[in-house]
């Protein structure tokens, strides 16, 4: 149970799954609707590859010291993010099995160690593509591409194995131990934050300089604070594994030291995998012992006799809303259950949007910069964090199809919650910006009215992409990474086109206002609002039609 045993049948299953993905791709090409989706994904992949090749051919290599420092720092920040995320909200389980895996694998003749080895192998295979892409982008900075690929593969796999070990420990320890560790993590973050604020607080000259210069100075000060934290004994101890992986990535020539670096990276990875499997076995044994010791015969009868399940107990009355009300209520309950992680996901983009307020300038210009940042983060970052819609209901899609409701009611009920959460986030940031930069309330209300249809468009678009290529919420594998990369590329292109259209309207609207006697600002916001209302209506119509045509038997990811 403690060993890293690899069952032959499970390893064969991984190969069969790869063949099934290729067969599924062929089936999608044989369907007209799937063919359109595949061609669209291929077009986005070509755009992404052209951008990658251009970034490789047109840029100069970074200095060796700078490249080494930033690669190690990026890994350290990703490591820290896993720690903070687990400390913010205790995960329910370290590994989430799909219903098919739960029935066929977890209920099959396999030991827990074999199942964990199977999952770790799946993670390793999915990391191959990530390591290849990282190597491709950083090719000008690598002396040997294969060393870079090996280093990135070991580093990214180590981070995933560490995540599993960390979540296993978080789910297995007692509540008291978890809260104590949580307090230590946030105390450390508080100390680092106070040190960074101390370094930045003396930057009085930032408030009187140009924006670009101020941002460069601010970034330099924060970078110095991070470097200072990394030079402490705690920072050096935490970063030591990433320095080993960075040493593999930046190998210049083959030597005994290079061989020791590769061996050290392999040892770290194997030790982390054994740690994850060992923690899982140990906490599983402890959980079974606790359940056996706390079992009381007849507890269910006593619970019923106590009146807890009294027939007079009733659910709160839920507004029907044409059938959409219960769906909205259910998604809101899901959001409340994940309130901690939701707040963490909203605080980071909120703070990043308000950074413009640190630089003194024209109040209206600074406010518009905050507004543009809020729109950008709402389009790019927030959809991945606020998945209280179709995207977390893959296994419930057949049930949603069987509900005696119209497709429009189901679609409306599913997307209301993320739209409301996103709007509340945006309003909070804009109110804070209004307090920091006193401006007319007309600009605030105009922005809020414009953002409401904008959020409907964003959420409907993400759900449309999901229904065109459905997948489970925490699904692992290279398909998920490829889908995320192509989706991000498509969003970047769409956001660029939107910015071009907004800039064009900003040029045309003053001339049109002068000809018609309208207020230039009023006409500008009116045009944007009408555009987003039309875009939201089109996105909702496409989403409703896609859900209506969705067939769980043919369109499911399996």
């Amino acid at each position: 149970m403690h060993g890293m045993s690899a069952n032959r049948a499970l390893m064969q299953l991984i190969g069969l799954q790869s063949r099934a993905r290729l067969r599924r791709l062929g089936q999608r090409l044989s369907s007209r609707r799937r063919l359109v989706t595949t061609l669209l994904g291929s077009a986005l992949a070509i755009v992404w590859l052209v951008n990658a090749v251009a970034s490789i051919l047109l840029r100069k290599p970074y200095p060796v010291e700078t490249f080494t420092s930033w690669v190690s720092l990026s890994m350290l920040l990703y490591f820290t993010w896993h720690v903070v995320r687990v400390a913010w909200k205790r995960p329910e389980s370290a590994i989430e099995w799909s219903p098919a895996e739960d029935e066929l694998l977890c209920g099959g003749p396999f030991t827990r160690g074999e199942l964990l080895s199977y999952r770790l192998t799946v993670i390793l295979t999915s990391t191959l593509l990530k390591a290849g892409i990282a190597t491709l982008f950083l090719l000008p900075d690598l002396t040997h591409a294969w060393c870079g690929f090996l280093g990135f593969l070991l580093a990214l796999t180590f981070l995933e194995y560490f995540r599993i070990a960390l979540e296993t420990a978080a789910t297995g320890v007692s509540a008291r131990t978890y809260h104590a560790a949580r307090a230590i993590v946030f105390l450390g973050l508080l100390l680092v934050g106070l040190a960074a604020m101390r370094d930045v607080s003396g930057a009085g000259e930032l408030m009187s300089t140009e924006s670009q210069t101020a941002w460069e100075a601010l970034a330099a000060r924060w970078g110095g604070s991070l470097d200072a934290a990394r030079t402490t004994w705690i920072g050096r101890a935490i970063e030591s594994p990433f320095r080993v992986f960075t040493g593999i990535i930046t190998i210049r020539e083959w030597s005994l030291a290079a061989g020791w670096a590769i061996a050290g990276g392999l040892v770290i990875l194997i030790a982390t995998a054994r740690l994850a499997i060992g923690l899982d076995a140990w906490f599983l044994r402890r959980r079974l012992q606790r359940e056996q010791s706390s079992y009381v015969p007849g507890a269910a009868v006593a619970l019923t006799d106590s009146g807890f399940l009294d027939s007079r107990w009733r659910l709160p009355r839920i507004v029907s809303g044409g059938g959409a009300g219960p769906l909205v209520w259910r998604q809101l309950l899901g959001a409340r259950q994940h309130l901690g992680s939701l707040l963490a996901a909203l605080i980071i983009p909120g703070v990043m949007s308000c950074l413009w307020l640190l630089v003194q300038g024209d109040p209206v210009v600074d406010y518009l910069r905050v507004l543009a940042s809020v729109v950008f983060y709402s389009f790019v970052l927030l959809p991945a964090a606020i998945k209280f819609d179709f995207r977390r209901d893959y296994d419930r899609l057949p049930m949603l199809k069987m509900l005696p409701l119209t497709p429009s009611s189901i679609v409306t009920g599913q997307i209301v919650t993320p739209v409301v959460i996103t709007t509340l986030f945006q309003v909070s940031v804009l109110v804070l910006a209004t307090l920091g930069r006193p401006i007319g309330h007309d600009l605030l209300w105009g922005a809020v009215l414009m953002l409401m249809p904008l959020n409907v468009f964003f959420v409907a678009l993400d759900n449309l992409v999901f229904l065109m290529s459905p997948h489970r919420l925490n699904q692992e594998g290279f398909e998920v990474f490829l889908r995320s990369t192509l989706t991000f590329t498509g969003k970047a292109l769409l956001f660029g086109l939107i910015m071009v259209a907004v800039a064009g309207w900003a040029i045309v609207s003053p001339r049109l206002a002068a000809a018609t006697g309208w207020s230039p600002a009023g006409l500008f916001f009116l045009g944007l609002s009408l555009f987003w209302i039309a875009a939201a209506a089109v996105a909702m119509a496409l989403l409703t039609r896609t859900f209506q045509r969705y067939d769980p038997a043919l369109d499911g990811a399996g």
Side-chain angles (χ1 to χ4, degrees):
M1 201 169 190
H2 292 276
M4 296 177 60
S5 54
N7 188 281
R8 183 176 179 181
L10 293 177
M11 296 303 106
Q12 185 179 5
L13 176 62
I14 296 177
L16 294 176
Q17 288 174 339
S18 301
R19 292 174 55 185
R21 294 189 186 97
L22 296 177
R23 293 183 60 184
R24 191 182 303 124
L25 178 60
Q27 292 176 354
R28 291 179 178 179
L29 292 176
S30 61
S31 170
R32 181 184 302 176
R33 185 161 62 93
R34 288 297 188 182
L35 178 61
V36 173
T37 305
T38 304
L39 292 178
L40 180 60
S42 301
L44 293 176
I46 293 174
V47 172
W48 182 85
L49 286 174
V50 170
N51 180 53
V53 173
S55 65
I56 294 172
L57 298 178
L58 299 180
R59 75 173 179 86
K60 296 181 180 180
Y62 296 109
V64 178
E65 295 78 8
T66 303
F67 175 73
T68 302
S69 177
W70 277 104
V71 169
S72 181
L73 178 61
S74 300
M75 297 177 186
L76 179 61
L77 292 177
Y78 193 29
F79 174 91
T80 306
W81 162 248
H82 282 314
V83 175
V84 174
R85 181 180 56 82
V86 173
W88 185 272
K89 179 176 175 58
R90 190 173 186 175
E92 297 179 359
S93 62
I95 298 178
E96 181 175 344
W97 303 97
S98 67
E101 290 175 334
D102 190 39
E103 294 176 3
L104 302 178
L105 297 184
C106 298
F110 307 110
T111 65
R112 184 69 179 182
E114 291 174 343
L115 293 176
L116 264 294
S117 298
Y118 159 78
R119 179 49 61 91
L120 295 181
T121 304
V122 171
I123 293 175
L124 176 62
T125 57
S126 65
T127 311
L128 291 172
L129 182 61
K130 301 178 185 179
I133 292 176
T135 304
L136 178 64
F137 271 108
L138 299 175
L139 198 58
D141 308 291
L142 304 175
T143 303
H144 302 289
W146 70 270
C147 290
F149 174 78
L150 179 60
F152 282 119
L153 178 63
L154 294 176
L156 294 174
T157 307
F158 162 77
L159 288 170
E160 292 299 320
Y161 289 180
F162 167 78
R163 173 185 62 82
I164 292 179
L166 182 64
E167 293 181 352
T168 301
T171 56
V173 298
S174 63
R176 182 176 181 180
T177 304
Y178 171 77
H179 288 300
R182 183 184 193 182
I184 294 174
V185 171
F186 285 112
L187 179 61
L189 288 178
L190 178 62
L191 294 177
V192 173
L194 291 177
M197 293 301 296
R198 180 196 61 190
D199 295 337
V200 177
S201 61
E205 69 276 7
L206 294 180
M207 301 306 175
S208 59
T209 56
E210 295 294 332
S211 298
Q212 183 177 1
T213 306
W215 277 110
E216 292 176 355
L218 191 62
R221 288 179 179 271
W222 279 347
S225 299
L226 288 176
D227 289 335
R230 294 166 65 188
T231 56
T232 62
W233 69 270
I234 298 178
R236 290 195 302 269
I238 297 176
E239 196 177 1
S240 56
F242 308 116
R243 292 188 181 276
V244 174
F245 297 130
T246 305
I248 300 174
I249 295 171
T250 57
I251 288 178
R252 299 294 172 180
E253 58 182 9
W254 180 254
S255 62
L256 183 60
W260 278 112
I262 295 176
L266 291 173
V267 169
I268 293 174
L269 183 63
I270 294 174
T272 308
R274 292 187 64 88
L275 175 64
I277 295 177
L279 287 175
D280 180 84
W282 189 67
F283 284 118
L284 178 62
R285 191 185 312 112
R286 288 194 59 188
R287 184 166 64 250
L288 292 177
Q289 292 174 352
R290 287 197 305 267
E291 291 176 355
Q292 291 175 357
S293 61
S294 61
Y295 173 72
V296 178
V301 177
L303 181 65
T304 305
D305 295 339
S306 65
F308 180 79
L309 300 180
D310 198 311
S311 61
R312 292 174 296 178
W313 187 81
R314 294 289 186 271
L315 286 172
R317 184 174 180 82
I318 302 174
V319 179
S320 174
L327 296 176
V328 176
W329 180 259
R330 173 179 164 272
Q331 297 292 358
L332 287 174
L333 290 179
R336 189 183 68 174
Q337 293 174 357
H338 298 81
L339 185 60
S341 57
L342 183 61
L343 289 176
L346 296 178
I347 289 174
I348 295 176
V351 172
M352 295 175 67
S353 300
C354 292
L355 289 178
W356 289 107
L357 302 178
L358 295 177
V359 182
Q360 291 289 350
D362 183 81
V364 177
V365 174
D366 292 341
Y367 183 84
L368 292 178
R369 286 171 174 171
V370 173
L371 176 60
S373 300
V374 166
V375 173
F376 174 77
Y377 293 128
S378 300
F379 186 45
V380 177
L381 296 182
L382 289 188
I386 311 177
K387 294 183 177 180
F388 303 103
D389 43 38
F390 284 112
R391 291 170 292 174
R392 80 177 188 119
D393 284 341
Y394 172 83
D395 294 318
R396 301 181 182 91
L397 286 176
M399 181 193 69
L400 293 174
K401 290 287 293 184
M402 292 187 296
L403 291 178
L405 303 174
T406 62
S408 59
S409 298
I410 296 176
V411 167
T412 302
Q414 287 289 95
I415 73 168
V416 164
T417 298
V419 170
V420 171
I421 295 175
T422 305
T423 304
L424 292 176
F425 159 76
Q426 293 167 341
V427 171
S428 301
V429 174
L430 292 180
V431 169
L432 183 62
T434 305
L435 296 176
R437 293 289 186 273
I439 57 174
H441 294 289
D442 294 341
L443 188 59
L444 173 63
W445 287 112
V448 172
L449 293 176
M450 183 192 69
L451 288 173
M452 293 178 64
L454 178 70
N455 295 332
V456 175
F457 172 75
F458 287 164
V459 175
L461 183 63
D462 275 276
N463 282 268
L464 177 62
V465 173
F466 169 80
L467 289 181
M468 294 175 66
S469 181
H471 58 279
R472 289 184 177 85
L473 185 60
N474 295 321
Q475 183 177 336
E476 297 174 344
F478 70 92
E479 285 184 346
V480 179
F481 176 75
L482 182 61
R483 185 189 298 112
S484 301
T485 302
L486 296 182
T487 302
F488 186 82
T489 303
K491 283 188 174 183
L493 291 174
L494 181 60
F495 190 81
L497 294 175
I498 291 174
M499 290 297 99
V500 171
V502 171
W505 177 241
I507 297 174
V508 173
S509 58
R511 301 178 181 178
L512 186 60
T516 58
W518 281 62
S519 169
L523 184 61
F524 177 76
F525 275 99
L526 178 62
L528 282 184
S529 300
L530 293 177
F531 170 77
W532 287 122
I533 290 174
V538 172
M540 285 292 293
L542 291 175
L543 178 60
T544 302
R545 179 175 175 83
T546 303
F547 175 73
Q548 187 176 10
R549 299 180 59 185
Y550 176 81
D551 188 346
L554 300 177
D555 300 329

